[in-house]
Amino acid sequence: MNHPTVTLPRLTALARQAAPRLLEGVVAPLAVFYLAMVVLGFKWALALTVAWVYLGVAWRLVKRVKVPATMYLAAFAITIRAIVAFWTGTWMWFFIQPEMGTICISIAFLASVRLNRPLVQKLTLDYIHLPSAVLKHERVRRFFARITLLWAFVLLMNSTLSIFLAVYESIGGSLGAFMIMRTSAVAVISGTAIVFSILAFKRLLRRLHVAHA
């Protein structure tokens, strides 16, 4: 039986689809928080960051644009974090809360591989489109399983380090020192994993192109 011809999207096209959502959902909220914290203080930074996330959801609802599931989760999570932070009056709990959630997510990533439903594949499809013929390919299935395992350990490592730094700096340090050290460490760990994931995905696409040439 002949295999159907597979037309694969270019990596640059995939990046163009994913970049705007990553900028809006990850980079922009972080920039809003940092700027508001420096100019207005911690509580205003919380309020404006929450407002930014809800504004993104509201804009899509008004324009009748599909709201990614990750955005609903982000809105819910930021609300709980802000409530607890305002209630306790300390920045430590604002940063520890998502790390506890991230640990749970890393466990879910591991479980999804065991269930043959790797979460990285599902999350990837929220940002980019891949043909169904590609998703059914055995090499693609193995790739997403392995990358899901990779990101499960990356998330666990980032969360463990972030909790340690938050507790340590809240006792004898400062919020500024925590943010610098945490951001630097997470950027190095996550950046390395991102570069590896992109290169691995590019290699996968190249191999599939050769196999179906």
Side-chain angles (χ1 to χ4, degrees):
M1 182 179 297
N2 295 328
H3 292 285
T5 302
V6 178
T7 303
L8 296 169
R10 293 183 178 275
L11 194 60
T12 53
L14 300 180
R16 282 197 298 269
Q17 293 180 47
R21 294 183 181 181
L22 290 174
L23 287 173
E24 179 189 4
V26 179
V27 178
L30 186 61
V32 169
F33 180 84
Y34 280 152
L35 182 60
M37 185 186 68
V38 172
V39 177
L40 301 172
F42 177 63
K43 290 187 176 181
W44 273 106
L46 287 178
L48 292 177
T49 304
V50 171
W52 173 269
V53 174
Y54 276 91
L55 182 62
V57 175
W59 183 85
R60 281 175 168 76
L61 292 176
V62 170
K63 295 292 184 178
R64 296 184 179 179
V65 177
K66 180 182 178 182
V67 181
T70 51
M71 184 167 283
Y72 283 121
L73 291 175
F76 175 75
I78 197 69
T79 301
I80 299 300
R81 291 172 63 187
I83 290 173
V84 174
F86 274 113
W87 181 56
T88 60
T90 175
W91 60 265
M92 183 185 72
W93 288 106
F94 179 75
F95 290 100
I96 285 183
Q97 290 175 82
E99 303 307 336
M100 299 299 293
T102 302
I103 291 175
C104 294
I105 292 174
S106 69
I107 295 173
F109 271 43
L110 292 173
S112 72
V113 174
R114 179 67 177 175
L115 296 172
N116 294 321
R117 295 178 179 273
L119 280 175
V120 168
Q121 177 175 324
K122 180 175 177 57
L123 294 174
T124 299
L125 296 179
D126 275 346
Y127 291 92
I128 59 178
H129 171 72
L130 291 174
S132 58
V134 174
L135 294 175
K136 293 177 181 179
H137 198 287
E138 183 59 29
R139 284 183 177 175
V140 176
R141 295 169 64 88
R142 287 200 304 267
F143 168 80
F144 278 117
R146 290 169 181 173
I147 291 298
T148 299
L149 285 175
L150 168 67
W151 279 100
F153 287 108
V154 168
L155 292 173
L156 184 60
M157 186 183 303
N158 283 341
S159 297
T160 303
L161 180 60
S162 297
I163 291 172
F164 170 78
L165 290 174
V167 173
Y168 178 80
E169 291 299 332
S170 67
I171 296 174
S174 66
L175 174 59
F178 163 76
M179 295 186 72
I180 291 173
M181 288 191 292
R182 177 192 177 275
T183 302
S184 300
V186 170
V188 171
I189 297 172
S190 300
T192 302
I194 289 172
V195 170
F196 176 83
S197 299
I198 291 175
L199 292 177
F201 190 46
K202 186 176 181 179
R203 182 184 181 188
L204 172 68
L205 294 179
R206 185 166 58 248
R207 285 187 171 184
L208 289 179
H209 273 301
V210 172
H212 290 86

